[in-house]
Amino acid sequence: MGVLMSRRQTVERVQKVSLAVSAFKDGLREQPSTRRRAEAGTARQGTLEQEVQEGEEEASAGPSQPEESSASKAAWERLRDGRGVEPEEFDRANRFTPPAFIRPKRELHDDEPPDISLEQREQILNDEMCEICEVWTAESLFPCRICPRVYHDGCLRRMGYLQKDSAVEVTETAHTETGWSCYYCDNLNLLLTEEEMYSLMETLKNCKIIPESCLTLDDFLHYKHQVHKQQFERTMPEAQEEQAALQFNALDPDKKGHIEWQDFLSHESIQLLQKIRPQNALLRLLTPKERERARAAFLALDQDNDGFIGEGECRQARHTWFRKHQKEMLSCNVSISHVGPISEGSPASSRNGKSPEKILPATKQEETRSIDWPGFLRENVAYILAARPNSAALHLQPLA
């Protein structure tokens, strides 16, 4: 019995010694950081008096302006970083971490005209593995209609990008000609560089726009008037105000009386791209799927195959072909695999006698002016980019 007790005591002693050694090692690991904090504290002692003096000067100068609330700061940070989902909107448990969006940078050759041939067709290939989990499961992957990325619906749910109300719609449209845009392509704001995003944020702040809030017609028109006055130092003409009202109606297809923040942000982003970047730089943003869809549009309008279309036909494409589908329009008559939505008012579907929209008749000047393939791309590139989001809103209203 004494031998058994001594063995147990020996085991207990060994365990205590092991715990002591582990604690000693942990202390050694923490020692450098503690030393660094002590050094940082010593370095800050020299500037403590200066900070106190500066604080007294600010207090004597008068009360400072109220700081932004933490919620407002967080909203501006999400806008700056391209994150459109509120962290509080869904439980983080059992969810993937949303990706860190890296804004693009302008290259030296961006302003040079790209070589986009009409005759040379591009092969459309989607990725084989899910963008999130990098696992291949064949037909259960949802392809993006803009880029080659593919996704699992379960991965999208765990990312928080696929809610219950949108899951059915994505399932129905992802494998049709209407298609579905992934969370990268759905957000036009991610096309802006850091400098362009900073410029847009400054404009929104100066006009007292609250991020992640809905805008009524009065709010939208007031904002447009302020931007015009800041840019041109004069009031906005009545014709431009009418065009702004038409744009508001296009951003509010369900007639709710307000426009959603994400639709407003997409509209402002595409307008800023139009204003800052030349058309050649915008053409370089087009993906192979978008370029192939533009080829199909031009070839459908070029009935005599001479490489030219009229101005009226180009305007027709702007009003119908690049207009996004409504939810009830899920069928399509042109076989182009996952290249984007095609309205029933497009030239392809008009052959069957279905044209829900009335196209304004072309003037004599429009009928005489011919547009070739490069000109067609330049005049429509902004509308092609504006058709990326899944929202039914029209983020760039074509001029009448």
Side-chain angles (χ1 to χ4, degrees):
M1 187 67 178
V3 175
L4 292 176
M5 289 296 293
S6 63
R7 285 180 178 177
R8 186 171 63 182
Q9 289 174 355
T10 302
V11 171
E12 289 177 354
R13 288 195 189 100
V14 171
Q15 290 176 346
K16 290 180 181 179
V17 170
S18 299
L19 292 175
V21 172
S22 299
F24 180 73
K25 290 181 177 179
D26 293 338
L28 290 177
R29 293 192 190 99
E30 294 176 0
Q31 191 173 5
S33 61
T34 304
R35 188 185 299 115
R36 284 195 296 270
R37 287 196 296 267
E39 292 175 355
T42 305
R44 287 182 58 84
Q45 287 179 356
T47 60
L48 182 58
E49 296 180 358
Q50 182 180 356
E51 292 178 359
V52 172
Q53 184 178 0
E54 292 177 355
E56 292 177 352
E57 292 177 356
E58 291 178 358
S60 61
S64 60
Q65 295 183 352
E67 295 183 358
E68 293 180 300
S69 64
S70 58
S72 178
K73 285 184 178 180
W76 284 115
E77 289 175 358
R78 284 192 294 274
L79 177 61
R80 178 197 62 202
D81 299 336
R83 293 181 286 115
V85 180
E86 286 272 8
E88 299 81 10
E89 285 186 1
F90 52 85
D91 184 13
R92 288 290 181 182
N94 300 322
R95 293 192 182 274
F96 293 153
T97 303
F101 295 115
I102 301 177
R103 293 196 172 274
K105 295 183 179 180
R106 296 291 307 277
E107 301 293 341
L108 294 176
H109 65 279
D110 280 355
D111 296 345
E112 299 176 3
D115 184 17
I116 305 178
S117 173
L118 176 62
E119 293 78 15
Q120 186 176 358
R121 310 300 292 264
E122 298 181 67
Q123 187 178 8
I124 304 300
L125 295 175
N126 289 323
D127 293 342
E128 295 182 353
M129 295 186 296
C130 174
E131 175 72 13
I132 299 173
C133 68
E134 298 183 351
V135 174
W136 178 79
T137 51
E139 295 181 356
S140 63
L141 291 170
F142 290 162
C144 174
R145 64 185 175 90
I146 305 298
C147 69
R149 301 184 184 95
V150 293
Y151 300 85
H152 292 121
D153 59 339
C155 293
L156 292 172
R157 286 190 180 92
R158 285 190 288 272
M159 289 281 290
Y161 290 111
L162 193 60
Q163 306 299 330
K164 292 182 179 179
D165 54 349
S166 60
V168 177
E169 183 179 351
V170 171
T171 304
E172 290 179 350
T173 61
H175 292 286
T176 65
E177 299 295 347
T178 301
W180 162 82
S181 295
C182 68
Y183 50 82
Y184 287 107
C185 302
D186 182 62
N187 191 352
L188 295 180
N189 184 253
L190 296 181
L191 296 175
L192 302 183
T193 63
E194 290 185 1
E195 295 78 11
E196 293 166 345
M197 188 63 235
Y198 178 80
S199 173
L200 179 58
M201 288 178 61
E202 287 299 305
T203 301
L204 296 177
K205 286 183 178 180
N206 292 336
C207 296
K208 310 299 182 184
I209 295 296
I210 302 175
E212 301 177 0
S213 62
C214 299
L215 279 77
T216 63
L217 177 59
D218 292 338
D219 297 333
F220 188 73
L221 293 179
H222 181 68
Y223 167 76
K224 290 295 185 181
H225 274 282
Q226 284 185 303
V227 172
H228 189 276
K229 192 169 185 178
Q230 291 176 5
Q231 185 175 359
F232 301 103
E233 297 183 351
R234 63 174 183 270
T235 58
M236 187 168 64
E238 185 177 351
Q240 292 190 22
E241 182 177 354
E242 293 178 356
Q243 184 64 30
L246 291 175
Q247 179 62 71
F248 178 88
N249 293 333
L251 291 171
D252 181 24
D254 297 330
K255 308 303 178 186
K256 298 178 181 178
H258 66 267
I259 55 179
E260 302 295 334
W261 168 255
Q262 193 59 41
D263 291 326
F264 170 74
L265 188 60
S266 293
H267 164 69
E268 289 301 310
S269 299
I270 196 66
Q271 282 217 319
L272 183 63
L273 287 174
Q274 273 189 302
K275 181 172 66 174
I276 293 181
R277 298 194 198 180
Q279 289 177 325
N280 289 332
L282 295 182
L283 286 173
R284 292 186 178 275
L285 297 177
L286 296 179
T287 64
K289 292 182 180 181
E290 290 173 316
R291 294 194 294 266
E292 190 64 17
R293 179 168 172 258
R295 286 188 184 93
F298 185 86
L299 293 174
L301 292 169
D302 185 16
Q303 299 292 335
D304 51 5
N305 298 323
D306 62 349
F308 292 91
I309 62 173
E311 170 65 20
E313 292 173 318
C314 183
R315 186 163 59 93
Q316 177 184 350
R318 194 173 306 152
H319 277 268
T320 58
W321 194 279
F322 300 120
R323 187 184 296 271
K324 292 185 290 296
H325 253 298
Q326 300 298 325
K327 291 183 180 180
E328 63 271 12
M329 301 178 186
L330 296 180
S331 63
C332 180
N333 298 310
V334 178
S335 177
I336 308 172
S337 178
H338 307 306
V339 292
I342 301 176
S343 171
E344 289 185 1
S346 67
S349 61
S350 63
R351 296 173 185 173
N352 292 339
K354 297 180 181 180
S355 181
E357 292 186 25
K358 288 186 65 178
I359 304 303
L360 298 177
T363 62
K364 292 182 178 179
Q365 183 178 0
E366 289 176 340
E367 291 175 352
T368 56
R369 177 172 173 251
S370 297
I371 298 178
D372 59 1
W373 164 243
F376 176 81
L377 279 180
R378 287 193 301 270
E379 295 193 17
N380 289 286
V381 60
Y383 299 98
I384 300 175
L385 295 174
R388 285 185 176 185
N390 294 309
S391 169
L394 195 63
H395 298 100
L396 192 61
Q397 172 71 21
L399 297 175

